[in-house]
Each structure stands twice: as structure tokens, then as C-alpha cells.
Amino acid sequence: ILIGPYGTGKSHLVLVLLSVLSKLLPPESFESLTRKMKQTLPEVAALIETCVAPHSSKMLPVLVESSGKSLEQALLLGLRNSLEEYDLGELMPSTTYQAAQEQINEWREQYPQAYHMLSEYLIESKQGDAETLEAGLRKLDDKAYALFCDAYREVTHGAVFEPLLRGRPEDVYRELAKSLPQEYKGIVVVFDEFGKYLETAWGQSQDIDLKPLQDFAEACNASEDIPIQLLLVSHKPIAQYAMKFGSEKVNEWKKVEGRFKTLEMLPQVSKAYEVIAHVVMQEGAEWEFYQSSWENQFEELIEQVQKTRLFSELQIGDLEQYVVKGAFPLHPLTVFALPRLAQKVAQNERTIFTFLTENDFHALPSFLRRTDVESFKLLTLDELYDYFSASMQALDEYNDIRAVEL
């Protein structure tokens, strides 16, 4: 399970990961990535080069979306959509034939009229009877399955038989993995916004059975010859989502949590300063003239910031380059607070980038429009607070930044 607040690049990381594992792009597309990775993580760069090599196998990517479905349905729908997208819809794992047999048995025991329509269709089309059809399905006969699909459409007045939406996800995935073409070495499953999915369902008093997820995770851990990998993506630990719905939900999740390895994306705040400085652009002769005109004020500001020791991890040159001048007109205290506050509030509508770029009265662009360019005026903490205020008020009582706001 990958955990990280908004703006830490989780979605981008997942897209890159899927691109590498599923070889969605030609090898040369990854040259820039591997060149940079070799400077810091050479072993990871080597793995990427191996994965995207022309003759290496690839993984089938499956993106899971909740869309109000149960966990089982979401996993199965994600698989079906992926197979269709990559022109693998004709794959016939053994579970497909089993699902057809189960449907016939269900008609026989619970819907006799439907079973009678099936028998009539087979007799009228001179295709034998239901027992003969079931015998063919047990032998995994393609013609028997095609006949069943035609009969199903007749019995259900035009509906299409969806075998992948029946049965247990772990069984369907396991059997389908065995049926993949030779160029595939396994399946990688990504469930984005997983924490929000649970929070929404619990908030609507829906009874989510996490046992299917636990079973699926165990099946993934047991898959070795043809690996099935599952990645859940969340903005915060699941226990934090569950906490406000009571200890029962927390304990329910903890039973499942042990099946997953937790990876946290904790942003380096010093890197955030660099990002801010790159977004806030000052260049050209006008900026050089402005710096020289207000040189004393800049030097005084640097001295004041050094005394606070808030940026003790930065060298004096970096402090000037990324904080005092690089992020101007943000006050250094605003630069210090912005990444931390954005992480605590953790909302997609309020991030470092939205504060720096969107057309909000308390955001940076609005400040620039209503500020005299000849003055030495800084965007201070009160503006930053006003920008995030509504978001802080919307947080639940278990969020520590909400308690501070109150």
C-alpha cells in the first residue's frame, strides 16, 4: 500500500511504474529516466532497463476503480476492462467454463422457466440438450461455450454473458494469468484512491466485507510462477480513515493490514522549497534591477530568517536561492509553512501548486495582481491561512491540523 499526501507525486509514480512494467512505451522513452536514476539509485535504473528491454516479458496492467461497486466487483471489472483495452478479451480461462456451468445450474435450481427456455433453444437449434452442453463445458470445449453464450443471449433477451464478473477474484485472476500470451509474465493491479473508497462507503454506513481483499492479497503473495501484484494507493494510513467510524472499523482493517507492505511517500521539505522556487519565476533585467534596488531589505530578511533556524538544513546559498529570493514575493515563513500545511490538509483542491497558480483571491497570482511591483511587499502567513482556512474547517475532528485551527 502506497501512502502519501496530495501533491507528493503518487499518481505520477504509479503511471511511470505501470509504463515500465507493461512496456507501454518504446525503450528509448525511458532513457532520460534511467540516466537520472543512475545518479542516485543505480540498482533501480538497472531494473528499469531490464524491464523495458525489447525481448523482456511484460505485465498486464489492471486499474481498479470503486464506482460504488463491491471490492469483488471492482477487481473483476478492472480485469475485464484491461483485457478489452489490450485486445485480450478472447482469453478463456477455465473459470469461464465453470461460470457457464454455474449459470446453468442456477437456472435449473432457482429459475425453472429460464432453464426451460435454454432447453427449448437447444432443441430448436438442433444442438442437443442441456446435459450435452454441460458435458462440453466440463471438457473446456470452445464450441460448447460459444453455444452457451448464444443460448444465454436468447434466455436473457439480449444480455451478454459476463463470466469474469462471476466467481472469486483470486480464482479468476489466477486462472487468467495462466492463459496470458507468452509475452506476459504476470498481472499488476492498482487500486487508486483506495482510502477514499473505504471512507466514502463507511461514511454511508455501507457494510464493506474486507475478507475478499484479504483473500486476494494472500493469493497475490502466493503467486510465484506467474506473479500477481496488488498496489493500493491512499492519501493517509487506512486506520486514520477508519478511526472516526469507531474501533470496530479500525480492528476490521488491522486484520487485513498485515497482508500488505506499507510504503510511505514523505516529501523532502527542502525539495519542496526548490519546487516552489522553480514555479515562482523571476528573470531578466527587471528582476536584476529589482534585487539591486532592494538589496538592503533582502540582506536583512536573510539575517532574520537565519536567526529563526527554521531552515537550518539549508546552506546560506540555498537559503537565498530557493527561499528568500527564489520564492519571492513569498515571505520565508510562508515558504516554510506552505508544504507542511498542504501536507496536513491533504486535499486535491488545495496543494502547493494550486496556491502558486490558481485564480483564488488568497493565492499568489491574485496577490501579484493587487501589489505594486515597485514595492517590497511580501505574501505573509495570514494570506496562506486564509487560503487553506475553508479546507481546514472541513476536516474531521480527528485531524490534528483541525484541532489547531479550532
Side-chain angles (χ1 to χ4, degrees):
I1 179 167
L2 179 63
I3 298 172
Y6 287 100
T8 50
K10 295 186 304 301
S11 296
H12 182 71
L13 174 61
V14 168
L15 285 174
V16 173
L17 179 64
L18 291 178
S19 297
V20 170
L21 293 177
S22 58
K23 299 175 67 173
L24 294 177
L25 300 171
E28 55 269 22
S29 300
F30 299 95
E31 290 178 356
S32 176
L33 172 63
T34 54
R35 185 169 58 252
K36 294 178 181 178
M37 292 290 285
K38 285 177 181 177
Q39 299 173 9
T40 53
L41 296 169
E43 65 281 5
V44 176
L47 281 173
I48 294 174
E49 289 177 336
T50 300
C51 287
V52 302
H55 301 296
S56 64
S57 300
K58 57 186 177 181
M59 305 279 281
L60 175 68
V62 175
L63 296 176
V64 179
E65 300 177 356
S66 56
S67 304
K69 307 290 184 181
S70 68
L71 286 170
E72 292 167 293
Q73 288 178 313
L75 286 167
L76 293 171
L77 278 170
L79 178 61
R80 185 197 67 179
N81 294 340
S82 181
L83 291 174
E84 291 177 353
E85 182 175 351
Y86 293 95
D87 296 323
L88 298 172
E90 299 303 316
L91 288 183
M92 301 284 284
S94 61
T95 50
T96 300
Y97 300 90
Q98 182 181 344
Q101 294 175 65
E102 290 174 353
Q103 181 63 76
I104 294 174
N105 192 52
E106 181 180 316
W107 284 340
R108 180 189 294 113
E109 295 182 357
Q110 300 180 32
Y111 305 98
Q113 185 176 356
Y115 184 75
H116 178 70
M117 291 176 65
L118 170 67
S119 300
E120 280 192 339
Y121 175 81
L122 294 174
I123 292 172
E124 290 175 3
S125 58
K126 299 180 181 180
Q127 299 287 346
D129 54 23
E131 288 74 15
T132 304
L133 176 59
E134 289 180 279
L137 292 171
R138 284 192 293 272
K139 295 177 182 177
L140 308 185
D141 183 271
D142 290 350
K143 292 182 180 179
Y145 180 74
L147 175 59
F148 169 78
C149 289
D150 292 339
Y152 182 89
R153 193 175 295 108
E154 182 72 21
V155 172
T156 58
H157 306 289
V160 177
F161 184 59
E162 297 276 15
L164 291 181
L165 303 186
R166 305 171 65 92
R168 302 194 315 163
E170 60 270 24
D171 293 336
V172 175
Y173 272 80
R174 195 158 37 211
E175 288 299 317
L176 191 131
K178 297 176 184 177
S179 306
L180 287 172
Q182 191 173 1
E183 64 264 28
Y184 289 92
K185 61 182 177 182
I187 303 174
V188 56
V189 186
V190 175
F191 196 147
D192 202 1
E193 299 283 2
F194 178 72
K196 182 171 286 189
Y197 161 69
L198 292 180
E199 182 183 41
T200 300
W202 285 335
Q204 296 172 350
S205 300
Q206 295 181 18
D207 185 19
I208 299 180
D209 182 9
L210 291 176
K211 181 66 163 55
L213 181 64
Q214 182 175 339
D215 293 341
F216 189 79
E218 290 176 352
C220 291
N221 288 334
S223 63
E224 296 180 359
D225 296 339
I226 308 177
I228 303 172
Q229 301 291 339
L230 173 62
L231 174 62
L232 308 180
V233 183
S234 177
H235 297 297
K236 54 186 178 181
I238 304 301
Q240 289 189 20
Y241 287 105
M243 193 177 299
K244 64 180 179 180
F245 300 110
S247 58
E248 183 179 345
K249 296 297 182 187
V250 175
N251 294 332
E252 186 180 358
W253 168 249
K254 284 184 177 179
K255 293 177 183 177
V256 182
E257 193 173 24
R259 302 291 185 275
F260 292 87
K261 180 180 180 180
T262 300
L263 302 172
E264 291 194 57
M265 289 187 67
L266 299 176
Q268 276 187 288
V269 178
S270 58
K271 293 295 182 183
Y273 303 150
E274 294 183 34
V275 170
I276 293 171
H278 280 99
V279 175
V280 182
M281 298 180 64
Q282 314 96 344
E283 54 188 12
E286 291 183 355
W287 171 240
E288 295 298 330
F289 177 76
Y290 186 91
Q291 288 184 87
S292 61
S293 300
W294 298 98
E295 184 177 356
N296 293 336
Q297 284 77 3
F298 276 118
E299 290 180 357
E300 182 180 349
L301 193 57
I302 292 173
E303 290 179 10
Q304 292 175 351
V305 173
Q306 283 184 295
K307 291 177 182 179
T308 67
R309 299 194 60 78
L310 290 176
F311 300 93
S312 56
E313 74 276 18
L314 298 181
Q315 299 293 328
I316 181 64
D318 292 335
L319 178 64
E320 179 178 346
Q321 179 180 356
Y322 297 124
V323 177
V324 176
K325 292 186 177 180
F328 185 86
L330 302 186
H331 191 285
L333 293 181
T334 304
V335 178
F336 178 84
L338 176 55
R340 292 168 170 84
L341 191 55
Q343 179 179 342
K344 289 290 186 181
V345 172
Q347 289 191 359
N348 198 36
E349 297 79 13
R350 286 290 188 266
T351 67
I352 293 175
F353 296 102
T354 59
F355 177 74
L356 297 176
T357 61
E358 80 171 6
N359 190 27
D360 184 283
F361 182 76
H362 299 291
L364 176 60
S366 175
F367 175 84
L368 293 174
R369 285 194 297 271
R370 49 192 166 85
T371 301
D372 181 5
V373 294
E374 302 297 330
S375 67
F376 191 83
K377 185 176 181 180
L378 299 173
L379 193 158
T380 50
L381 280 174
D382 55 317
E383 296 271 8
L384 184 67
Y385 171 83
D386 288 339
Y387 180 78
F388 282 100
S389 178
S391 297
M392 289 189 288
Q393 293 173 21
L395 297 173
D396 61 71
E397 59 185 298
Y398 297 96
N399 192 297
D400 55 354
I401 198 67
R402 170 62 171 153
V404 172
E405 198 274 338
L406 289 172

